[in-house]
Amino acid sequence: MDDCIFCKIINRDIPSDIVYENENVLAFKDITPQMPIHILVIPKKHIESIVDLKDGDEILVGKIFTAINKIAKDTGIDKTGFRVISNCGEDAGQTVKHLHFHILAGEKMGADII
Ligand code: 5GP
Ligand code: ZN
């Protein structure tokens, strides 16, 4: 997608602080961190959001969560805890229309931090 900021990050058209990458998945630091650790995990395939997943994408979703597992172990937050969030659509405040999972960690979170 030409006008998608995350596709531009995937293609290295705009810079990002990449923490993990494989054939299908990219993870990079959020430009406006909400927590001491704030990483975005995205599929390299452009999918707008959870509601746009199609039959067959379950393999890709599994790969995203396998990447989250690896990132958690690499950063040590598997020991301290973390939260995974995917905002979907207007009411959730999704601002970038490329499926992404926020990993939030690094301090205690209240139930109100989403
Ligand atoms: P959303 O609100 O759609 O769930 O989350 C989008 C996230 O993308 C926000 O937390 C925002 O800070 C992050 N973001 C937007 N543009 C960029 C960018 O150019 N680079 C990086 N690293 N993060 C971005
Ligand atoms: Zn995209």
Side-chain angles (χ1 to χ4, degrees):
M1 295 290 282
D2 292 348
D3 58 348
C4 172
I5 200 155
F6 286 177
C7 284
K8 287 182 180 153
I9 286 175
I10 292 162
N11 294 329
R12 302 330 199 241
D13 291 334
I14 61 170
S16 70
D17 197 343
I18 292 169
V19 298
Y20 178 83
E21 181 170 23
N22 67 27
E23 196 187 340
N24 306 104
V25 178
L26 186 72
F28 51 95
K29 292 184 183 173
D30 197 293
I31 204 167
T32 314
Q34 306 294 316
M35 290 282 291
I37 295 172
H38 187 168
I39 295 165
L40 299 171
V41 187
I42 67 173
K44 289 189 174 176
K45 176 181 170 186
H46 181 87
I47 298 170
E48 247 192 63
S49 77
I50 288 170
V51 292
D52 299 293
L53 290 165
K54 305 274 188 283
D55 284 353
D57 284 335
E58 58 273 10
I59 294 167
L60 182 57
V61 173
K63 288 178 177 179
I64 291 169
F65 275 82
T66 299
I68 291 171
N69 173 291
K70 286 186 202 307
I71 293 162
K73 287 172 179 163
D74 287 351
T75 54
I77 60 172
D78 59 323
K79 307 277 191 305
T80 50
F82 60 95
R83 190 169 284 171
V84 176
I85 292 165
S86 186
N87 292 318
C88 184
E90 202 177 327
D91 281 358
Q94 182 181 2
T95 56
V96 179
K97 304 288 193 286
H98 182 128
L99 177 66
H100 53 281
F101 293 83
H102 298 255
I103 301 176
L104 298 164
E107 64 187 29
K108 275 235 182 298
M109 284 166 265
D112 57 329
I113 297 184
I114 55 167

